Protein backbone atom coordinates (compact mmCIF):
# COMPACT_ATOMS: atom_id res chain seq x y z
CA UNK A 1 0.00 0.00 0.00
CA UNK A 2 1.22 3.48 -0.81
CA UNK A 3 2.30 5.63 2.12
CA UNK A 4 -0.27 8.30 1.22
CA UNK A 5 -3.02 5.64 1.11
CA UNK A 6 -2.13 4.80 4.71
CA UNK A 7 -2.33 8.47 5.66
CA UNK A 8 -5.65 8.85 3.86
CA UNK A 9 -7.00 5.79 5.67
CA UNK A 10 -5.97 7.10 9.06
CA UNK A 11 -7.48 10.53 8.32
CA UNK A 12 -10.69 8.85 7.09
CA UNK A 13 -12.96 10.02 9.94
CA UNK A 14 -11.71 13.61 9.61
CA UNK A 15 -12.26 13.67 5.83
CA UNK A 16 -15.69 12.11 6.26
CA UNK A 17 -16.60 14.79 8.84
CA UNK A 18 -15.57 17.41 6.27
CA UNK A 19 -17.94 15.94 3.69
CA UNK A 20 -20.75 15.94 6.24
CA UNK A 21 -20.06 19.48 7.42
CA UNK A 22 -23.04 21.80 6.84
CA UNK A 23 -20.83 24.29 4.98
CA UNK A 24 -19.70 21.62 2.48
CA UNK A 25 -23.22 20.19 2.10
CA UNK A 26 -24.50 23.72 1.57
CA UNK A 27 -22.08 24.28 -1.31
CA UNK A 28 -23.22 20.97 -2.76
CA UNK A 29 -26.94 21.66 -2.80
CA UNK A 30 -26.66 25.45 -3.13
CA UNK A 31 -28.37 26.11 0.20
CA UNK A 32 -25.37 27.72 1.91
CA UNK A 33 -26.34 31.25 3.00
CA UNK A 34 -24.48 33.83 0.90
CA UNK A 35 -23.09 35.72 3.91
CA UNK A 36 -21.35 32.57 5.08
CA UNK A 37 -19.85 32.01 1.64
CA UNK A 38 -18.78 35.66 1.49
CA UNK A 39 -16.92 35.21 4.77
CA UNK A 40 -15.24 32.05 3.44
CA UNK A 41 -14.33 33.77 0.19
CA UNK A 42 -12.37 36.53 1.91
CA UNK A 43 -10.62 34.13 4.28
CA UNK A 44 -9.81 31.71 1.48
CA UNK A 45 -8.39 34.53 -0.64
CA UNK A 46 -5.98 35.35 2.19
CA UNK A 47 -5.34 31.62 2.60
CA UNK A 48 -4.40 31.25 -1.08
CA UNK A 49 -1.87 34.09 -0.88
CA UNK A 50 0.02 32.27 1.89
CA UNK A 51 -0.51 28.94 0.14
CA UNK A 52 1.21 30.37 -2.94
CA UNK A 53 4.16 31.41 -0.82
CA UNK A 54 4.52 27.76 0.27
CA UNK A 55 4.70 26.55 -3.34
CA UNK A 56 7.26 29.26 -4.11
CA UNK A 57 9.33 27.85 -1.24
CA UNK A 58 8.93 24.38 -2.74
CA UNK A 59 10.35 25.63 -6.04
CA UNK A 60 13.27 27.27 -4.23
CA UNK A 61 13.95 24.09 -2.23
CA UNK A 62 13.56 21.62 -5.11
CA UNK A 63 16.43 19.18 -5.53
CA UNK A 64 15.92 18.75 -9.27
CA UNK A 65 14.49 20.64 -12.21
CA UNK A 66 11.36 18.49 -12.63
CA UNK A 67 10.37 19.11 -8.99
CA UNK A 68 11.01 22.82 -9.45
CA UNK A 69 8.72 22.83 -12.50
CA UNK A 70 5.94 21.06 -10.61
CA UNK A 71 6.06 23.51 -7.72
CA UNK A 72 6.20 26.42 -10.15
CA UNK A 73 3.06 25.18 -11.89
CA UNK A 74 1.31 24.68 -8.52
CA UNK A 75 2.28 28.28 -7.73
CA UNK A 76 0.95 29.50 -11.06
CA UNK A 77 -2.31 27.53 -10.83
CA UNK A 78 -2.98 28.85 -7.33
CA UNK A 79 -2.17 32.48 -8.11
CA UNK A 80 -3.97 32.56 -11.44
CA UNK A 81 -6.63 29.83 -11.80
CA UNK A 82 -7.83 29.44 -8.21
CA UNK A 83 -7.56 33.09 -7.27
CA UNK A 84 -9.38 34.02 -10.49
CA UNK A 85 -12.34 31.94 -9.27
CA UNK A 86 -12.33 33.84 -6.00
CA UNK A 87 -12.09 37.19 -7.80
CA UNK A 88 -15.11 36.29 -9.94
CA UNK A 89 -17.10 35.42 -6.82
CA UNK A 90 -15.85 38.67 -5.23
CA UNK A 91 -17.21 40.60 -8.22
CA UNK A 92 -20.65 39.07 -7.68
CA UNK A 93 -20.57 40.38 -4.11
CA UNK A 94 -19.25 43.76 -5.28
CA UNK A 95 -15.90 43.24 -3.55
CA UNK A 96 -12.74 44.27 -5.42
CA UNK A 97 -9.54 42.17 -5.32
CA UNK A 98 -7.89 45.00 -3.34
CA UNK A 99 -10.65 44.83 -0.74
CA UNK A 100 -10.28 41.06 -0.57
CA UNK A 101 -6.55 41.39 -0.05
CA UNK A 102 -7.13 43.91 2.73
CA UNK A 103 -9.57 41.68 4.66
CA UNK A 104 -8.68 40.88 8.26
CA UNK A 105 -7.54 37.29 8.70
CA UNK A 106 -9.54 35.29 11.25
CA UNK A 107 -7.71 33.26 13.95
CA UNK A 108 -8.05 29.92 12.14
CA UNK A 109 -6.78 31.38 8.84
CA UNK A 110 -3.65 32.63 10.57
CA UNK A 111 -3.13 29.43 12.56
CA UNK A 112 -3.55 27.14 9.56
CA UNK A 113 -1.45 29.08 7.06
CA UNK A 114 1.35 29.67 9.58
CA UNK A 115 1.31 26.01 10.55
CA UNK A 116 1.96 25.01 6.96
CA UNK A 117 4.44 27.79 6.32
CA UNK A 118 6.47 26.81 9.35
CA UNK A 119 6.61 23.17 8.22
CA UNK A 120 7.69 24.36 4.78
CA UNK A 121 10.39 26.73 6.08
CA UNK A 122 11.84 24.15 8.41
CA UNK A 123 11.61 20.98 6.39
CA UNK A 124 12.18 19.39 3.01
CA UNK A 125 9.89 19.40 -0.05
CA UNK A 126 8.44 16.13 1.30
CA UNK A 127 7.49 17.87 4.58
CA UNK A 128 5.93 20.58 2.48
CA UNK A 129 3.97 18.01 0.45
CA UNK A 130 2.70 16.30 3.64
CA UNK A 131 1.51 19.64 5.03
CA UNK A 132 -0.31 20.81 1.89
CA UNK A 133 -1.76 17.46 0.76
CA UNK A 134 -4.90 17.71 2.93
CA UNK A 135 -5.64 20.97 1.05
CA UNK A 136 -4.90 19.97 -2.50
CA UNK A 137 -6.01 16.34 -2.37
CA UNK A 138 -8.83 17.12 0.07
CA UNK A 139 -10.39 19.80 -2.15
CA UNK A 140 -10.12 17.52 -5.20
CA UNK A 141 -11.93 14.78 -3.28
CA UNK A 142 -14.62 17.12 -1.94
CA UNK A 143 -15.03 18.67 -5.41
CA UNK A 144 -15.57 15.25 -6.97
CA UNK A 145 -17.91 14.18 -4.17
CA UNK A 146 -20.06 17.31 -4.63
CA UNK A 147 -20.07 16.92 -8.40
CA UNK A 148 -21.40 13.39 -7.97
CA UNK A 149 -23.89 14.05 -5.20
CA UNK A 150 -24.66 17.78 -5.41
CA UNK A 151 -26.45 20.18 -7.72
CA UNK A 152 -24.26 21.44 -10.57
CA UNK A 153 -27.07 23.18 -12.43
CA UNK A 154 -27.06 26.94 -13.06
CA UNK A 155 -29.41 27.22 -10.09
CA UNK A 156 -26.59 26.49 -7.65
CA UNK A 157 -24.63 29.72 -6.95
CA UNK A 158 -21.66 27.56 -6.00
CA UNK A 159 -21.57 25.67 -9.28
CA UNK A 160 -18.30 27.27 -10.48
CA UNK A 161 -16.65 26.37 -7.20
CA UNK A 162 -17.67 22.71 -7.59
CA UNK A 163 -16.60 22.61 -11.24
CA UNK A 164 -13.12 23.99 -10.57
CA UNK A 165 -12.36 21.70 -7.65
CA UNK A 166 -13.75 18.61 -9.39
CA UNK A 167 -11.70 19.26 -12.55
CA UNK A 168 -9.04 16.83 -13.77
CA UNK A 169 -6.51 19.67 -13.87
CA UNK A 170 -6.99 20.36 -10.18
CA UNK A 171 -6.81 16.68 -9.28
CA UNK A 172 -3.54 16.28 -11.19
CA UNK A 173 -1.75 18.77 -8.93
CA UNK A 174 -2.69 16.75 -5.84
CA UNK A 175 -1.69 13.51 -7.57
CA UNK A 176 1.79 14.85 -8.17
CA UNK A 177 2.16 15.92 -4.52
CA UNK A 178 1.17 12.42 -3.46
CA UNK A 179 3.75 10.86 -5.76
CA UNK A 180 6.39 13.23 -4.44
CA UNK A 181 5.67 12.20 -0.84
CA UNK A 182 5.35 8.49 -1.68
CA UNK A 183 8.73 8.58 -3.39
CA UNK A 184 10.34 10.21 -0.37
CA UNK A 185 8.64 7.68 1.95
CA UNK A 186 10.22 4.69 0.18
CA UNK A 187 13.66 6.16 0.83
CA UNK A 188 13.14 7.32 4.43
CA UNK A 189 13.10 6.00 7.97
CA UNK A 190 10.28 5.83 10.48
CA UNK A 191 11.22 9.21 12.01
CA UNK A 192 10.51 11.01 8.74
CA UNK A 193 7.33 9.04 8.10
CA UNK A 194 6.05 9.78 11.59
CA UNK A 195 6.63 13.52 11.04
CA UNK A 196 4.75 13.40 7.71
CA UNK A 197 1.91 11.50 9.33
CA UNK A 198 1.56 14.18 12.02
CA UNK A 199 1.66 16.96 9.42
CA UNK A 200 -1.00 15.24 7.32
CA UNK A 201 -3.34 14.56 10.24
CA UNK A 202 -3.02 18.05 11.72
CA UNK A 203 -3.47 19.56 8.26
CA UNK A 204 -6.62 17.47 7.81
CA UNK A 205 -7.97 18.77 11.14
CA UNK A 206 -7.24 22.33 10.08
CA UNK A 207 -9.14 21.71 6.83
CA UNK A 208 -12.14 20.72 8.92
CA UNK A 209 -11.64 23.77 11.14
CA UNK A 210 -11.59 26.06 8.08
CA UNK A 211 -15.13 24.91 7.16
CA UNK A 212 -16.18 25.32 10.77
CA UNK A 213 -14.63 28.80 10.97
CA UNK A 214 -16.51 29.83 7.83
CA UNK A 215 -19.79 28.35 9.03
CA UNK A 216 -19.52 30.23 12.32
CA UNK A 217 -17.97 33.32 10.73
CA UNK A 218 -15.28 33.23 13.36
CA UNK A 219 -14.11 36.56 14.77
CA UNK A 220 -11.51 37.59 17.31
CA UNK A 221 -13.33 37.55 20.66
CA UNK A 222 -11.75 40.83 21.74
C1 LIG B 1 -8.73 26.07 3.13
C2 LIG B 1 -8.41 25.63 1.75
N1 LIG B 1 -7.86 24.42 1.58
C3 LIG B 1 -7.53 24.00 0.34
C4 LIG B 1 -7.76 24.78 -0.77
C5 LIG B 1 -7.44 24.27 -2.14
O1 LIG B 1 -6.36 24.91 -2.64
C6 LIG B 1 -8.34 26.05 -0.55
N2 LIG B 1 -8.60 26.89 -1.58
N3 LIG B 1 -8.66 26.43 0.72
Amino acid sequence: MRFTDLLRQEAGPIWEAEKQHPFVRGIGDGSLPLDRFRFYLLQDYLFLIEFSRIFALGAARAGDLATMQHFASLLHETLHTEMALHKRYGERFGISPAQMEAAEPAPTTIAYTRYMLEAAWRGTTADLAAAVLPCQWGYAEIGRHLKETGDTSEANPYRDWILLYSSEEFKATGDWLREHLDRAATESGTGDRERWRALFLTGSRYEYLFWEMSWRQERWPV
Side-chain angles (χ1 to χ4, degrees), residues 5 19-20 32 70 74 85 122 134 138 143 146 166 180 193:
D5 280 327
K19 286 182 192 153
Q20 299 305 328
L32 179 69
H70 278 289
L74 275 161
L85 174 84
R122 197 149 61 99
L146 295 182
S166 61
H180 189 68
R193 283 199 294 272

Side-chain angles (χ1 to χ4, degrees), residues 29-30 89 92 150-160 162-163:
D29 64 14
Y89 271 111
R92 293 193 209 169
D151 172 11
T152 51
S153 75
E154 297 279 355
N156 184 345
Y158 311 115
R159 175 179 192 261
D160 292 349
I162 298 173
L163 293 184

Side-chain angles (χ1 to χ4, degrees), residues 122-161:
R122 197 149 61 99
T124 61
T125 55
D127 289 76
L128 197 157
V132 302
L133 255 179
C135 315
Q136 210 75 16
W137 184 7
Y139 263 49
E141 194 171 309
I142 287 173
R144 197 191 51 208
H145 169 69
L146 295 182
K147 192 166 180 218
E148 284 165 4
T149 62
D151 172 11
T152 51
S153 75
E154 297 279 355
N156 184 345
Y158 311 115
R159 175 179 192 261
D160 292 349
W161 190 100

